[in-house]
Amino acid sequence: KVFNQAHSSLRGVIERTFGAWKKKWHILRNIECFSFKKQVKIVIATITLHNYIRRDANHDRHFDIDENSVSIS
């Protein structure tokens, strides 16, 4: 029961994260039209840019909204 609750909570966080990425990086909305290798590179590039923004910017409006709605038990 504890595992299932933790797994469900983690899945929710991951889904919200990808939702925020899709808001910020429009290329992720239609990523299926690229080859798998290119999809991987696009995801890595957007993650890298996201981490740079989160580290060096005061705030990120897409993630600020989602982080305020997250409740981790």
Side-chain angles (χ1 to χ4, degrees), residues 34-72:
F34 298 103
S35 69
F36 181 74
K37 283 185 175 185
K38 192 167 277 195
Q39 288 180 29
V40 171
K41 290 179 181 181
I42 291 169
V43 170
I44 291 170
T46 57
I47 291 170
T48 303
L49 289 169
H50 164 75
N51 288 339
Y52 176 79
I53 291 167
R54 295 288 290 167
R55 187 185 69 208
D56 295 331
N58 291 332
H59 70 285
D60 181 347
R61 65 183 171 91
H62 295 103
F63 278 84
D64 288 344
I65 293 166
D66 291 329
E67 285 178 354
N68 291 333
S69 66
V70 173
S71 61
I72 301 176

Side-chain angles (χ1 to χ4, degrees), residues 2 5-6 8-10 13 16 70-73:
V2 173
Q5 185 178 16
S8 176
S9 176
L10 180 60
V13 170
R16 283 189 299 278
V70 173
S71 61
I72 301 176
S73 305

Side-chain angles (χ1 to χ4, degrees), residues 22-38:
K22 286 183 178 183
K23 287 179 196 173
K24 178 180 272 319
W25 311 110
H26 295 252
I27 194 169
L28 294 175
R29 294 180 187 170
N30 296 317
I31 199 165
E32 302 86 21
C33 64
F34 298 103
S35 69
F36 181 74
K37 283 185 175 185
K38 192 167 277 195

